[in-house]
Amino acid sequence: MAQKSSGPQHGARQNISRVRNQNLSVNDRIESFDEGQSVVLRIHPSEPEGRFHARFHGNRGKITGRQGDAYEVSFEDGGSTKKLYVNPVHLKEAE
């Protein structure tokens, strides 16, 4: 019997699946955030570029800088500070 795959996106089907009305617009790609602004990490399934690991999906963090087109996002995870570089497509402004 074949062995089940356990690649980097293993168990992420619910996070990566596209919802019918979840279209990507140009405004999503060029959205800008200010340093210190609070954001939520949300994987957009139709944009593989600048995607982070699925375990961080739904976390809330703060913009701490910028590198190229991506934003540097810092957040607490299990008592330690994590830092990710994420494209604006995968970020939503926190309420």
Side-chain angles (χ1 to χ4, degrees), residues 14-39:
Q14 183 177 356
N15 296 340
I16 296 175
S17 297
R18 182 178 172 273
V19 179
R20 186 175 237 184
N21 63 354
Q22 193 177 15
N23 296 326
L24 187 63
S25 69
V26 175
N27 292 335
D28 293 334
R29 290 179 184 273
I30 61 171
E31 190 172 0
S32 62
F33 298 98
D34 299 325
E35 200 164 316
Q37 188 173 358
S38 185
V39 292

Side-chain angles (χ1 to χ4, degrees), residues 23-82:
N23 296 326
L24 187 63
S25 69
V26 175
N27 292 335
D28 293 334
R29 290 179 184 273
I30 61 171
E31 190 172 0
S32 62
F33 298 98
D34 299 325
E35 200 164 316
Q37 188 173 358
S38 185
V39 292
V40 177
L41 299 168
R42 295 278 177 206
I43 293 176
H44 196 288
S46 63
E47 183 65 34
E49 193 106 356
R51 185 184 286 175
F52 46 88
H53 196 279
R55 81 166 64 96
F56 302 127
H57 181 80
N59 282 359
R60 182 181 290 235
K62 286 199 181 291
I63 302 288
T64 54
R66 189 157 183 169
Q67 185 170 339
D69 293 335
Y71 287 95
E72 182 181 312
V73 181
S74 296
F75 60 95
E76 290 288 321
D77 183 47
S80 64
T81 303
K82 305 279 180 160

Side-chain angles (χ1 to χ4, degrees), residues 5-16:
S5 172
S6 58
Q9 299 299 325
H10 171 71
R13 182 179 193 152
Q14 183 177 356
N15 296 340
I16 296 175

